[in-house]
Amino acid sequence: DAKTTQPTSMDCAEGRAANLPCNHSTISGNEYVYWYRQIHSQGPQYIIHGLKNNETNEMASLIITEDRKSSTLILPHATLRDTAVYYCIVRPRSTGGFKTIFGAGTRLFVKA
Amino acid sequence: SQTIHQWPATLVQPVGSPLSLECTVEGTSNPNLYWYRQAAGRGLQLLFYSVGIGQISSEVPQNLSASRPQDRQFILSSKKLLLSDSGFYLCAWLGTENTEAFFGQGTRLTVV
């Protein structure tokens, strides 16, 4: 079972910030939070990841709460091309033999 | 740079026919490899993962099998396809620690 919970779907107006929440209340100390997105009929694409500090890259920002039990992915200026399913997953730092489990994700609709 | 190749992109097969989907990675060694299946409008279901040559872990009892004959090759197979095997199949790899997963472009399988 996925270790994260996300809303099923969200809407966002084009040009506005999209804030996608994720709960991971059972996260372990050695687990990172990763975000991916999947545009229809394509493989998931990596967006960003973090351990406990907030992170920012050219695609998005990741805000992780101090207790690390939840996080928010922020797309600062959503465009129509950001319409996709967004997955939040947690995984340990070590990659030896672990399973990367994806939940159902959040379907983001960016509207003109 | 690391790349992942998955083929074919689409496949239509009759019930009872065999299946072989191949995934290869380049630019890395000893990757963790994964096969996922995605039903229409659903999340990713982990089918198999492999941490090395000949090492396969199965997540879901099913009509499918996987093999890893070489370090950077992962194969998904079936002896006799069922209608329920239809779906979008994705191969992914994960390299050294603290890196993201890279996905292939997927194979859309329709069993008729």
Side-chain angles (χ1 to χ4, degrees), chain A residues 32 34 36 38 40-46 49 87 91-105 107, chain B residues 32 34 36 38 41-46 49 51 59 88 90 94-106 108:
Chain A
Y32 284 72
Y34 280 75
Y36 293 80
Q38 185 179 24
H40 182 63
S41 295
Q42 297 182 24
Q45 174 193 24
Y46 165 81
H49 75 280
Y87 298 98
R91 49 158 279 211
R93 185 171 185 173
S94 170
T95 61
F98 73 93
K99 302 176 291 186
T100 299
I101 304 296
F102 285 74
R107 189 171 296 276
Chain B
N32 291 336
Y34 303 82
Y36 292 90
Q38 187 174 36
R42 306 291 294 275
L44 280 69
Q45 178 188 31
L46 179 62
Y49 69 99
V51 300
E59 286 300 298
F88 190 48
L90 287 156
L94 193 64
T96 56
E97 69 175 43
N98 199 23
T99 62
E100 68 267 30
F102 294 90
F103 284 83
Q105 285 303 299
R108 187 161 302 282

Short mmCIF file of all heavy atoms in Angstrom, two decimals, chain A residues 32 34 36 38 40-46 49 87 91-105 107, chain B residues 32 34 36 38 41-46 49 51 59 88 90 94-106 108:
data_model
loop_
_atom_site.label_atom_id
_atom_site.label_comp_id
_atom_site.label_asym_id
_atom_site.label_seq_id
_atom_site.Cartn_x
_atom_site.Cartn_y
_atom_site.Cartn_z
N TYR A 32 12.85 9.94 2.02
CA TYR A 32 12.70 11.18 1.30
C TYR A 32 11.28 11.28 0.74
O TYR A 32 10.61 10.27 0.52
CB TYR A 32 13.68 11.23 0.13
CG TYR A 32 15.11 11.52 0.52
CD1 TYR A 32 15.88 10.57 1.17
CD2 TYR A 32 15.68 12.74 0.21
CE1 TYR A 32 17.19 10.84 1.52
CE2 TYR A 32 17.00 13.02 0.55
CZ TYR A 32 17.73 12.07 1.20
OH TYR A 32 19.03 12.35 1.54
N TYR A 34 9.32 12.33 -2.60
CA TYR A 34 9.52 12.55 -4.03
C TYR A 34 8.19 12.92 -4.68
O TYR A 34 7.14 12.41 -4.30
CB TYR A 34 10.04 11.28 -4.71
CG TYR A 34 11.52 11.02 -4.54
CD1 TYR A 34 12.03 10.55 -3.35
CD2 TYR A 34 12.40 11.26 -5.60
CE1 TYR A 34 13.39 10.32 -3.20
CE2 TYR A 34 13.75 11.02 -5.46
CZ TYR A 34 14.24 10.56 -4.26
OH TYR A 34 15.58 10.33 -4.12
N TYR A 36 6.40 13.17 -8.58
CA TYR A 36 6.44 12.89 -10.00
C TYR A 36 5.13 13.37 -10.62
O TYR A 36 4.13 13.51 -9.92
CB TYR A 36 6.56 11.39 -10.28
CG TYR A 36 7.87 10.78 -9.86
CD1 TYR A 36 8.11 10.44 -8.53
CD2 TYR A 36 8.87 10.53 -10.79
CE1 TYR A 36 9.31 9.88 -8.14
CE2 TYR A 36 10.07 9.97 -10.41
CZ TYR A 36 10.28 9.65 -9.08
OH TYR A 36 11.48 9.10 -8.70
N GLN A 38 2.59 12.67 -14.25
CA GLN A 38 2.36 11.84 -15.41
C GLN A 38 1.35 12.52 -16.31
O GLN A 38 0.18 12.66 -15.95
CB GLN A 38 1.87 10.45 -15.00
CG GLN A 38 1.74 9.49 -16.17
CD GLN A 38 1.28 8.11 -15.73
OE1 GLN A 38 0.65 7.95 -14.69
NE2 GLN A 38 1.58 7.10 -16.55
N HIS A 40 -0.83 12.44 -19.69
CA HIS A 40 -1.59 11.34 -20.27
C HIS A 40 -0.77 10.52 -21.26
O HIS A 40 -0.14 11.07 -22.16
CB HIS A 40 -2.85 11.89 -20.95
CG HIS A 40 -3.72 10.83 -21.54
ND1 HIS A 40 -4.33 9.87 -20.77
CD2 HIS A 40 -4.05 10.56 -22.81
CE1 HIS A 40 -5.03 9.06 -21.55
NE2 HIS A 40 -4.87 9.47 -22.80
N SER A 41 -0.78 9.20 -21.04
CA SER A 41 -0.15 8.23 -21.95
C SER A 41 1.37 8.35 -22.02
O SER A 41 1.97 7.92 -22.99
CB SER A 41 -0.74 8.34 -23.36
OG SER A 41 -2.10 7.99 -23.35
N GLN A 42 1.97 8.94 -21.00
CA GLN A 42 3.42 8.98 -20.93
C GLN A 42 3.88 8.38 -19.62
O GLN A 42 3.10 8.19 -18.69
CB GLN A 42 3.93 10.43 -21.04
CG GLN A 42 3.60 11.09 -22.37
CD GLN A 42 4.17 12.49 -22.43
OE1 GLN A 42 5.13 12.82 -21.74
NE2 GLN A 42 3.59 13.32 -23.28
N GLY A 43 5.17 8.10 -19.52
CA GLY A 43 5.73 7.64 -18.27
C GLY A 43 5.84 8.78 -17.28
O GLY A 43 5.96 9.93 -17.66
N PRO A 44 5.78 8.50 -15.98
CA PRO A 44 5.94 9.55 -14.97
C PRO A 44 7.27 10.26 -15.11
O PRO A 44 8.28 9.68 -15.50
CB PRO A 44 5.86 8.78 -13.66
CG PRO A 44 5.05 7.56 -13.97
CD PRO A 44 5.46 7.20 -15.36
N GLN A 45 7.24 11.54 -14.76
CA GLN A 45 8.42 12.40 -14.87
C GLN A 45 8.77 12.92 -13.48
O GLN A 45 7.88 13.39 -12.75
CB GLN A 45 8.11 13.56 -15.81
CG GLN A 45 9.18 14.61 -15.91
CD GLN A 45 8.69 15.87 -16.61
OE1 GLN A 45 7.49 16.15 -16.64
NE2 GLN A 45 9.59 16.63 -17.17
N TYR A 46 10.01 12.85 -13.14
CA TYR A 46 10.48 13.36 -11.85
C TYR A 46 10.31 14.87 -11.79
O TYR A 46 10.58 15.59 -12.77
CB TYR A 46 11.94 12.99 -11.65
CG TYR A 46 12.66 13.74 -10.56
CD1 TYR A 46 12.52 13.36 -9.23
CD2 TYR A 46 13.47 14.82 -10.86
CE1 TYR A 46 13.19 14.04 -8.23
CE2 TYR A 46 14.13 15.51 -9.86
CZ TYR A 46 13.99 15.11 -8.54
OH TYR A 46 14.65 15.80 -7.56
N HIS A 49 12.48 16.43 -5.09
CA HIS A 49 12.47 15.62 -3.88
C HIS A 49 13.12 16.38 -2.73
O HIS A 49 13.86 17.37 -2.96
CB HIS A 49 13.15 14.26 -4.08
CG HIS A 49 14.65 14.32 -4.12
ND1 HIS A 49 15.34 14.70 -5.26
CD2 HIS A 49 15.58 14.05 -3.19
CE1 HIS A 49 16.63 14.64 -5.03
NE2 HIS A 49 16.82 14.25 -3.77
N TYR A 87 2.06 12.57 -8.45
CA TYR A 87 2.26 11.52 -7.46
C TYR A 87 3.26 11.97 -6.40
O TYR A 87 4.34 12.47 -6.72
CB TYR A 87 2.81 10.25 -8.12
CG TYR A 87 1.90 9.61 -9.13
CD1 TYR A 87 2.08 9.83 -10.49
CD2 TYR A 87 0.87 8.76 -8.73
CE1 TYR A 87 1.27 9.22 -11.43
CE2 TYR A 87 0.05 8.15 -9.66
CZ TYR A 87 0.25 8.39 -11.01
OH TYR A 87 -0.57 7.78 -11.93
N ARG A 91 10.32 7.27 -0.03
CA ARG A 91 11.21 6.13 -0.21
C ARG A 91 12.47 6.37 0.61
O ARG A 91 12.86 7.50 0.84
CB ARG A 91 11.56 5.92 -1.67
CG ARG A 91 12.01 7.15 -2.41
CD ARG A 91 12.80 6.85 -3.62
NE ARG A 91 14.18 6.56 -3.29
CZ ARG A 91 15.19 6.82 -4.09
NH1 ARG A 91 14.97 7.36 -5.27
NH2 ARG A 91 16.42 6.52 -3.74
N PRO A 92 13.10 5.27 1.03
CA PRO A 92 14.30 5.41 1.85
C PRO A 92 15.48 5.88 1.03
O PRO A 92 15.49 5.80 -0.19
CB PRO A 92 14.52 4.00 2.39
CG PRO A 92 13.85 3.12 1.41
CD PRO A 92 12.68 3.89 0.86
N ARG A 93 16.48 6.36 1.74
CA ARG A 93 17.67 6.86 1.08
C ARG A 93 18.42 5.74 0.39
O ARG A 93 18.89 5.89 -0.72
CB ARG A 93 18.57 7.53 2.11
CG ARG A 93 19.77 8.20 1.51
CD ARG A 93 20.49 9.02 2.56
NE ARG A 93 21.59 9.77 1.98
CZ ARG A 93 22.29 10.66 2.65
NH1 ARG A 93 22.00 10.90 3.91
NH2 ARG A 93 23.27 11.31 2.08
N SER A 94 18.50 4.60 1.05
CA SER A 94 19.17 3.45 0.44
C SER A 94 18.26 2.84 -0.59
O SER A 94 17.06 2.72 -0.39
CB SER A 94 19.50 2.42 1.51
OG SER A 94 19.94 1.22 0.89
N THR A 95 18.81 2.46 -1.72
CA THR A 95 17.98 1.92 -2.78
C THR A 95 18.00 0.40 -2.82
O THR A 95 17.40 -0.19 -3.70
CB THR A 95 18.47 2.43 -4.14
OG1 THR A 95 19.82 2.00 -4.36
CG2 THR A 95 18.42 3.94 -4.19
N GLY A 96 18.65 -0.21 -1.87
CA GLY A 96 18.81 -1.65 -1.94
C GLY A 96 17.54 -2.43 -1.73
O GLY A 96 17.07 -2.62 -0.63
N GLY A 97 16.92 -2.88 -2.79
CA GLY A 97 15.82 -3.82 -2.69
C GLY A 97 14.50 -3.28 -2.22
O GLY A 97 13.60 -4.03 -1.92
N PHE A 98 14.32 -1.99 -2.17
CA PHE A 98 13.05 -1.49 -1.68
C PHE A 98 12.05 -1.38 -2.82
O PHE A 98 12.40 -1.42 -3.98
CB PHE A 98 13.23 -0.13 -1.01
CG PHE A 98 13.48 0.98 -1.98
CD1 PHE A 98 12.44 1.74 -2.48
CD2 PHE A 98 14.75 1.26 -2.41
CE1 PHE A 98 12.66 2.77 -3.39
CE2 PHE A 98 14.99 2.28 -3.32
CZ PHE A 98 13.95 3.04 -3.80
N LYS A 99 10.82 -1.20 -2.46
CA LYS A 99 9.75 -1.08 -3.45
C LYS A 99 9.29 0.37 -3.52
O LYS A 99 9.00 0.97 -2.51
CB LYS A 99 8.57 -1.96 -3.04
CG LYS A 99 8.93 -3.44 -2.90
CD LYS A 99 7.76 -4.24 -2.41
CE LYS A 99 7.43 -3.89 -0.97
NZ LYS A 99 6.36 -4.77 -0.45
N THR A 100 9.24 0.90 -4.69
CA THR A 100 8.70 2.24 -4.88
C THR A 100 7.22 2.11 -5.18
O THR A 100 6.85 1.63 -6.24
CB THR A 100 9.43 2.96 -6.03
OG1 THR A 100 10.81 3.06 -5.69
CG2 THR A 100 8.86 4.35 -6.22
N ILE A 101 6.41 2.51 -4.24
CA ILE A 101 4.96 2.35 -4.36
C ILE A 101 4.33 3.69 -4.70
O ILE A 101 4.55 4.69 -4.01
CB ILE A 101 4.36 1.82 -3.04
CG1 ILE A 101 5.03 0.51 -2.63
CG2 ILE A 101 2.85 1.65 -3.19
CD1 ILE A 101 4.81 -0.62 -3.60
N PHE A 102 3.54 3.69 -5.75
CA PHE A 102 2.80 4.88 -6.14
C PHE A 102 1.34 4.72 -5.74
O PHE A 102 0.75 3.66 -5.94
CB PHE A 102 2.87 5.08 -7.66
CG PHE A 102 4.17 5.60 -8.15
CD1 PHE A 102 5.29 4.77 -8.21
CD2 PHE A 102 4.31 6.91 -8.58
CE1 PHE A 102 6.50 5.25 -8.67
CE2 PHE A 102 5.51 7.39 -9.04
CZ PHE A 102 6.61 6.55 -9.09
N GLY A 103 0.77 5.78 -5.20
CA GLY A 103 -0.66 5.79 -4.94
C GLY A 103 -1.41 6.25 -6.18
O GLY A 103 -0.88 6.21 -7.28
N ALA A 104 -2.64 6.68 -5.98
CA ALA A 104 -3.47 7.11 -7.11
C ALA A 104 -3.12 8.50 -7.61
O ALA A 104 -3.46 8.87 -8.72
CB ALA A 104 -4.95 7.04 -6.73
N GLY A 105 -2.46 9.30 -6.76
CA GLY A 105 -2.05 10.63 -7.17
C GLY A 105 -3.19 11.63 -7.17
O GLY A 105 -4.34 11.32 -6.86
N ARG A 107 -5.09 14.35 -9.64
CA ARG A 107 -5.28 14.80 -11.03
C ARG A 107 -5.49 16.30 -11.01
O ARG A 107 -6.51 16.79 -10.52
CB ARG A 107 -6.47 14.08 -11.65
CG ARG A 107 -6.62 14.32 -13.14
CD ARG A 107 -7.69 13.40 -13.72
NE ARG A 107 -7.31 11.99 -13.60
CZ ARG A 107 -6.54 11.35 -14.46
NH1 ARG A 107 -6.07 11.98 -15.53
NH2 ARG A 107 -6.23 10.08 -14.29
N ASN B 32 18.36 -0.75 -9.92
CA ASN B 32 17.12 -1.41 -9.52
C ASN B 32 16.11 -1.19 -10.63
O ASN B 32 15.92 -0.06 -11.08
CB ASN B 32 16.58 -0.82 -8.21
CG ASN B 32 17.46 -1.15 -7.03
OD1 ASN B 32 18.19 -2.13 -7.03
ND2 ASN B 32 17.40 -0.32 -6.01
N TYR B 34 12.15 -1.94 -12.34
CA TYR B 34 10.76 -2.13 -11.94
C TYR B 34 9.85 -2.27 -13.16
O TYR B 34 10.07 -1.63 -14.18
CB TYR B 34 10.26 -0.91 -11.13
CG TYR B 34 11.07 -0.59 -9.90
CD1 TYR B 34 12.25 0.12 -10.00
CD2 TYR B 34 10.64 -0.99 -8.64
CE1 TYR B 34 13.00 0.43 -8.87
CE2 TYR B 34 11.38 -0.70 -7.51
CZ TYR B 34 12.55 0.01 -7.63
OH TYR B 34 13.29 0.30 -6.51
N TYR B 36 5.74 -1.74 -13.83
CA TYR B 36 4.46 -1.29 -13.31
C TYR B 36 3.39 -1.51 -14.37
O TYR B 36 3.66 -1.52 -15.56
CB TYR B 36 4.49 0.20 -12.97
CG TYR B 36 5.36 0.59 -11.81
CD1 TYR B 36 6.69 0.92 -12.00
CD2 TYR B 36 4.84 0.65 -10.51
CE1 TYR B 36 7.49 1.30 -10.93
CE2 TYR B 36 5.64 1.03 -9.44
CZ TYR B 36 6.95 1.35 -9.66
OH TYR B 36 7.74 1.72 -8.60
N GLN B 38 -0.57 0.07 -15.32
CA GLN B 38 -1.54 1.11 -15.02
C GLN B 38 -2.80 0.85 -15.81
O GLN B 38 -2.79 0.88 -17.05
CB GLN B 38 -0.96 2.48 -15.37
CG GLN B 38 -1.82 3.65 -14.94
CD GLN B 38 -1.11 4.95 -15.18
OE1 GLN B 38 -0.38 5.12 -16.16
NE2 GLN B 38 -1.30 5.91 -14.28
N GLY B 41 -7.11 5.32 -16.12
CA GLY B 41 -7.55 6.21 -15.07
C GLY B 41 -7.14 5.82 -13.67
O GLY B 41 -7.65 6.39 -12.70
N ARG B 42 -6.21 4.89 -13.56
CA ARG B 42 -5.79 4.41 -12.24
C ARG B 42 -4.33 4.74 -11.99
O ARG B 42 -3.61 5.21 -12.87
CB ARG B 42 -6.02 2.91 -12.15
CG ARG B 42 -7.42 2.44 -12.49
CD ARG B 42 -8.43 2.86 -11.44
NE ARG B 42 -8.19 2.20 -10.18
CZ ARG B 42 -8.66 0.99 -9.87
NH1 ARG B 42 -9.36 0.30 -10.74
NH2 ARG B 42 -8.41 0.48 -8.69
N GLY B 43 -3.88 4.48 -10.75
CA GLY B 43 -2.48 4.68 -10.40
C GLY B 43 -1.61 3.55 -10.88
O GLY B 43 -2.06 2.62 -11.55
N LEU B 44 -0.34 3.61 -10.54
CA LEU B 44 0.62 2.61 -10.97
C LEU B 44 0.64 1.44 -9.98
O LEU B 44 0.78 1.63 -8.78
CB LEU B 44 2.02 3.21 -11.05
CG LEU B 44 2.35 4.02 -12.28
CD1 LEU B 44 1.60 5.33 -12.32
CD2 LEU B 44 3.85 4.29 -12.33
N GLN B 45 0.51 0.25 -10.51
CA GLN B 45 0.58 -0.95 -9.70
C GLN B 45 1.94 -1.61 -9.92
O GLN B 45 2.30 -1.94 -11.05
CB GLN B 45 -0.53 -1.92 -10.10
CG GLN B 45 -0.51 -3.24 -9.32
CD GLN B 45 -1.51 -4.26 -9.86
OE1 GLN B 45 -1.80 -4.29 -11.04
NE2 GLN B 45 -2.02 -5.08 -8.97
N LEU B 46 2.70 -1.79 -8.85
CA LEU B 46 3.99 -2.44 -8.96
C LEU B 46 3.80 -3.93 -9.20
O LEU B 46 3.12 -4.62 -8.44
CB LEU B 46 4.80 -2.22 -7.68
CG LEU B 46 6.19 -2.85 -7.64
CD1 LEU B 46 7.08 -2.27 -8.74
CD2 LEU B 46 6.83 -2.62 -6.27
N TYR B 49 10.03 -6.20 -9.24
CA TYR B 49 11.23 -5.39 -9.16
C TYR B 49 12.43 -6.31 -9.03
O TYR B 49 12.31 -7.47 -8.60
CB TYR B 49 11.17 -4.35 -8.04
CG TYR B 49 11.22 -4.88 -6.63
CD1 TYR B 49 12.40 -4.89 -5.91
CD2 TYR B 49 10.06 -5.31 -6.00
CE1 TYR B 49 12.44 -5.34 -4.61
CE2 TYR B 49 10.08 -5.77 -4.70
CZ TYR B 49 11.27 -5.77 -4.00
OH TYR B 49 11.30 -6.23 -2.71
N VAL B 51 16.77 -6.32 -8.12
CA VAL B 51 17.95 -5.61 -7.63
C VAL B 51 19.23 -6.11 -8.30
O VAL B 51 20.31 -5.57 -8.03
CB VAL B 51 18.08 -5.72 -6.10
CG1 VAL B 51 16.85 -5.11 -5.44
CG2 VAL B 51 18.26 -7.17 -5.67
N GLU B 59 5.28 -8.82 -6.86
CA GLU B 59 4.42 -8.13 -5.91
C GLU B 59 2.97 -8.63 -5.96
O GLU B 59 2.28 -8.59 -4.96
CB GLU B 59 4.44 -6.62 -6.18
CG GLU B 59 5.71 -5.97 -5.73
CD GLU B 59 5.93 -6.15 -4.24
OE1 GLU B 59 5.11 -5.67 -3.46
OE2 GLU B 59 6.92 -6.81 -3.86
N PHE B 88 -1.45 -0.29 -19.45
CA PHE B 88 -0.27 0.50 -19.81
C PHE B 88 0.88 0.01 -18.92
O PHE B 88 0.82 0.14 -17.70
CB PHE B 88 -0.59 1.98 -19.57
CG PHE B 88 0.43 2.94 -20.11
CD1 PHE B 88 0.91 2.82 -21.39
CD2 PHE B 88 0.90 3.99 -19.32
CE1 PHE B 88 1.84 3.72 -21.91
CE2 PHE B 88 1.82 4.89 -19.82
CZ PHE B 88 2.29 4.76 -21.11
N LEU B 90 4.77 0.04 -17.68
CA LEU B 90 5.89 0.96 -17.56
C LEU B 90 7.07 0.28 -16.90
O LEU B 90 6.93 -0.41 -15.89
CB LEU B 90 5.48 2.17 -16.71
CG LEU B 90 4.54 3.17 -17.38
CD1 LEU B 90 3.77 3.95 -16.34
CD2 LEU B 90 5.31 4.11 -18.28
N LEU B 94 16.11 2.75 -11.02
CA LEU B 94 16.57 3.61 -9.94
C LEU B 94 18.03 3.29 -9.72
O LEU B 94 18.39 2.13 -9.52
CB LEU B 94 15.75 3.34 -8.69
CG LEU B 94 15.85 4.32 -7.55
CD1 LEU B 94 15.33 5.68 -7.99
CD2 LEU B 94 15.02 3.82 -6.38
N GLY B 95 18.87 4.32 -9.75
CA GLY B 95 20.29 4.07 -9.65
C GLY B 95 20.83 4.19 -8.25
O GLY B 95 20.32 3.61 -7.30
N THR B 96 21.83 5.01 -8.09
CA THR B 96 22.47 5.14 -6.79
C THR B 96 21.55 5.87 -5.82
O THR B 96 20.53 6.43 -6.21
CB THR B 96 23.79 5.91 -6.91
OG1 THR B 96 23.52 7.16 -7.53
CG2 THR B 96 24.77 5.13 -7.78
N GLU B 97 21.90 5.91 -4.60
CA GLU B 97 21.00 6.46 -3.60
C GLU B 97 20.70 7.92 -3.86
O GLU B 97 21.48 8.65 -4.46
CB GLU B 97 21.61 6.31 -2.21
CG GLU B 97 22.82 7.17 -1.94
CD GLU B 97 23.28 7.05 -0.50
OE1 GLU B 97 23.31 5.93 0.00
OE2 GLU B 97 23.56 8.09 0.13
N ASN B 98 19.56 8.30 -3.42
CA ASN B 98 19.12 9.68 -3.49
C ASN B 98 18.98 10.18 -4.93
O ASN B 98 19.22 11.35 -5.21
CB ASN B 98 20.07 10.60 -2.71
CG ASN B 98 19.40 11.92 -2.38
OD1 ASN B 98 18.18 12.01 -2.35
ND2 ASN B 98 20.19 12.94 -2.17
N THR B 99 18.62 9.31 -5.84
CA THR B 99 18.31 9.75 -7.19
C THR B 99 16.86 9.44 -7.47
O THR B 99 16.23 8.61 -6.82
CB THR B 99 19.18 9.04 -8.24
OG1 THR B 99 18.91 7.63 -8.20
CG2 THR B 99 20.65 9.28 -7.99
N GLU B 100 16.35 10.11 -8.47
CA GLU B 100 14.97 9.86 -8.85
C GLU B 100 14.86 8.62 -9.70
O GLU B 100 15.86 8.11 -10.21
CB GLU B 100 14.40 11.06 -9.61
CG GLU B 100 15.02 11.27 -10.98
CD GLU B 100 16.20 12.22 -10.95
OE1 GLU B 100 16.88 12.28 -9.92
OE2 GLU B 100 16.44 12.88 -11.98
N ALA B 101 13.64 8.13 -9.88
CA ALA B 101 13.37 7.01 -10.77
C ALA B 101 13.16 7.54 -12.19
O ALA B 101 12.60 8.61 -12.38
CB ALA B 101 12.12 6.25 -10.31
N PHE B 102 13.65 6.81 -13.15
CA PHE B 102 13.47 7.16 -14.55
C PHE B 102 12.53 6.13 -15.18
O PHE B 102 12.72 4.93 -15.00
CB PHE B 102 14.79 7.16 -15.30
CG PHE B 102 15.75 8.22 -14.83
CD1 PHE B 102 16.63 7.96 -13.80
CD2 PHE B 102 15.75 9.48 -15.41
CE1 PHE B 102 17.52 8.94 -13.35
CE2 PHE B 102 16.62 10.46 -14.97
CZ PHE B 102 17.51 10.19 -13.94
N PHE B 103 11.56 6.63 -15.91
CA PHE B 103 10.56 5.76 -16.51
C PHE B 103 10.72 5.71 -18.02
O PHE B 103 11.09 6.70 -18.65
CB PHE B 103 9.15 6.26 -16.19
CG PHE B 103 8.70 5.96 -14.79
CD1 PHE B 103 9.07 6.79 -13.74
CD2 PHE B 103 7.91 4.86 -14.52
CE1 PHE B 103 8.66 6.51 -12.44
CE2 PHE B 103 7.50 4.58 -13.23
CZ PHE B 103 7.88 5.41 -12.20
N GLY B 104 10.40 4.54 -18.57
CA GLY B 104 10.28 4.44 -20.01
C GLY B 104 8.99 5.09 -20.46
O GLY B 104 8.18 5.54 -19.64
N GLN B 105 8.78 5.11 -21.75
CA GLN B 105 7.60 5.76 -22.29
C GLN B 105 6.37 4.87 -22.24
O GLN B 105 5.26 5.33 -22.52
CB GLN B 105 7.86 6.22 -23.73
CG GLN B 105 8.73 7.46 -23.79
CD GLN B 105 8.14 8.62 -23.00
OE1 GLN B 105 7.05 9.10 -23.28
NE2 GLN B 105 8.86 9.08 -21.97
N GLY B 106 6.56 3.62 -21.88
CA GLY B 106 5.41 2.75 -21.68
C GLY B 106 5.00 1.97 -22.90
O GLY B 106 5.29 2.34 -24.04
N ARG B 108 1.46 0.29 -24.38
CA ARG B 108 0.01 0.13 -24.21
C ARG B 108 -0.38 -1.21 -24.82
O ARG B 108 -0.34 -1.37 -26.04
CB ARG B 108 -0.76 1.27 -24.86
CG ARG B 108 -2.26 1.21 -24.56
CD ARG B 108 -2.93 2.55 -24.80
NE ARG B 108 -2.36 3.63 -24.02
CZ ARG B 108 -2.60 3.85 -22.74
NH1 ARG B 108 -3.42 3.03 -22.08
NH2 ARG B 108 -2.05 4.89 -22.13
#
